[in-house]
Amino acid sequence: MSSHEAASDNSPPDNRQDAPIAEDAGSLTARPLSEAACLRLLAGVGFGRIVYTRYGLPAIRPVDHIVDDRAIIAATDAVTFPPYRQVVAYEADTLDRHTQRGWCVIVTGTAEPVTEGNDLARYRAALRPRLTGGPHRIVRIRPEVVTGVEYVAPARHR
């Protein structure tokens, strides 16, 4: 088969550069993070995923967030996120797509709609949701369990 014939066949292109893990990524070590480190990392990113119950089943939605005095404040979809208090999980991460190094934080706690006028106005101004659609419901997640892990290159033995 000529190179011209090979180029014109219907096989998919070689996309090795798009592979999720680089060939030289090597193995990783998972290192637990303290609660304080987890909350600092969450405060440094503005986007995560909220896991809640809808019709008795788990649902996951991407949301924008801020951290305010240990609480995660998120702008959720007011149409699908329920208007009552419930236990939720919240996850945010930053992982390098090639090396898989980075971190993941998971918060479990109670979420409730923010209805107090001053807090609601302050959070709406601070959040500025990037996710289109609306309206948004502002919820406060009060953490009960905060866990996190950092994925790092293993320490080399000498």
Side-chain angles (χ1 to χ4, degrees):
M1 175 185 290
S2 73
S3 62
H4 175 70
E5 289 171 350
S8 66
D9 74 1
N10 291 330
S11 62
D14 183 2
N15 288 326
R16 287 185 201 157
Q17 71 274 10
D18 293 331
I21 300 174
E23 289 180 24
D24 61 343
S27 61
L28 298 174
T29 297
R31 183 172 56 199
L33 295 168
S34 69
E35 180 176 315
C38 289
L39 292 173
R40 272 194 309 277
L41 288 167
L42 279 178
V45 298
F47 185 80
R49 293 151 204 87
I50 191 166
V51 182
Y52 59 98
T53 303
R54 184 166 189 230
Y55 303 123
L57 298 171
I60 302 172
R61 295 287 184 268
V63 295
D64 295 297
H65 77 264
I66 60 173
V67 177
D68 183 36
D69 192 28
R70 277 197 85 248
I72 292 95
I73 311 300
T76 65
D77 174 3
V79 174
T80 58
F81 193 87
Y84 50 82
R85 189 174 185 216
Q86 69 169 294
V87 173
V88 300
Y90 192 80
E91 188 274 346
D93 58 59
T94 299
L95 298 171
D96 182 274
R97 102 174 226 212
H98 294 289
T99 66
Q100 301 299 297
R101 291 181 187 168
W103 57 267
C104 174
V105 170
I106 299 173
V107 173
T108 305
T110 303
E112 58 191 359
V114 175
T115 57
E116 308 85 40
N118 289 340
D119 285 347
L120 191 57
R122 183 167 54 99
Y123 293 150
R124 284 192 191 282
L127 278 164
R128 305 204 185 280
R130 291 169 289 186
L131 299 173
T132 58
H136 291 93
R137 177 172 289 120
I138 306 300
V139 297
R140 178 184 293 117
I141 304 169
R142 297 195 186 276
E144 295 172 29
V145 179
V146 179
T147 61
V149 64
E150 183 177 24
Y151 301 104
V152 297
R156 302 281 185 222
H157 298 288
R158 295 180 194 239

